[in-house]
Amino acid sequence: SGNIGTEIVAKAPPDGYTLLEPAFAHAVNPFLYAKLPFDAVKDFAPILLFASIANVLVVHPSIPARSVKELIAFAKTRPGELTLGSAGNGTASHLAGELLNLMGGIKTTHVPYKGLVPAHTEIIGGQLSMLFDGIVTGMPAVKAGRLRALGVTTVKRWQGAPDIPTMAESGLAGFEVNSWYGLLAPAGTPRDIILRLNSEVSRALREPDARERLYSIGAEPMDNTPEEFAAYIA
């Protein structure tokens, strides 16, 4: 879950040459592990959050629901019967499902896989009822009619499929479980180095080819200050 690399960077010299590319797990692992060999906040100097990736809630066509509200209503009549696939315990797809259970007042059976690809394959084959799939892996199957998309997990709609509502728009106000990526340096890294790295990476992310590449994998380029990224992690 990234903890080995994170510990290495936490103990690296704060000179700007050893950086960490944290993801969703960085802010989640302190709540999943009894003890970590680093402090996810105090041991790092945020540089910037550079990409956010939406997940999409998809169901197999055998599930009659055509909206999140209909899915919740359907699940309430069958507690524990619907299977919820994920990329593994503690992943964004797993925790998004648990949040749906909590906010929707439903109970599903979690089925963890070793990554999203096998889970995606299983739901297309009808072995799973629902999955918070990757936006890029999930949408081709949705367009082909092999899966049905009910909602995206980001605050705003994904530009690649603007007709799919967000989970928040679908009646679950405050629902947000997006995969994200950023850059951290060891705590104590000089301020001028942090600002230089923030400026250079932000400049690179404004390049058309970089933005196009990120959009092609379902990622939205971000532009923010070290302070804004620190607040986001917190």
Side-chain angles (χ1 to χ4, degrees), residues 30-107:
F31 304 94
L32 296 181
Y33 291 84
K35 185 178 181 180
L36 290 174
F38 54 83
D39 187 301
V41 174
K42 295 179 181 179
D43 289 343
F44 299 93
I47 298 171
L48 87 165
L49 172 69
F50 66 77
S52 176
I53 301 179
N55 290 315
V56 58
L57 173 60
V58 295
V59 295
H60 186 264
S62 62
I63 304 299
R66 295 187 174 274
S67 68
V68 173
K69 287 184 179 180
E70 290 183 5
L71 177 64
I72 290 173
F74 183 70
K76 284 183 176 179
T77 67
R78 295 162 174 79
E81 289 186 21
L82 299 188
T83 51
L84 172 75
S86 81
N89 291 316
T91 60
S93 56
H94 174 207
L95 297 182
E98 296 300 340
L99 188 59
L100 175 60
N101 285 333
L102 182 65
M103 296 181 73
I106 62 175
K107 181 179 180 181

Side-chain angles (χ1 to χ4, degrees), residues 85-89 91 93-94 110-122 128 131-134 137:
S86 81
N89 291 316
T91 60
S93 56
H94 174 207
H110 176 224
V111 184
Y113 290 83
K114 293 182 178 180
L116 268 179
V117 173
H120 174 78
T121 301
E122 291 281 272
L128 290 173
L131 170 69
F132 280 92
D133 207 347
T137 55

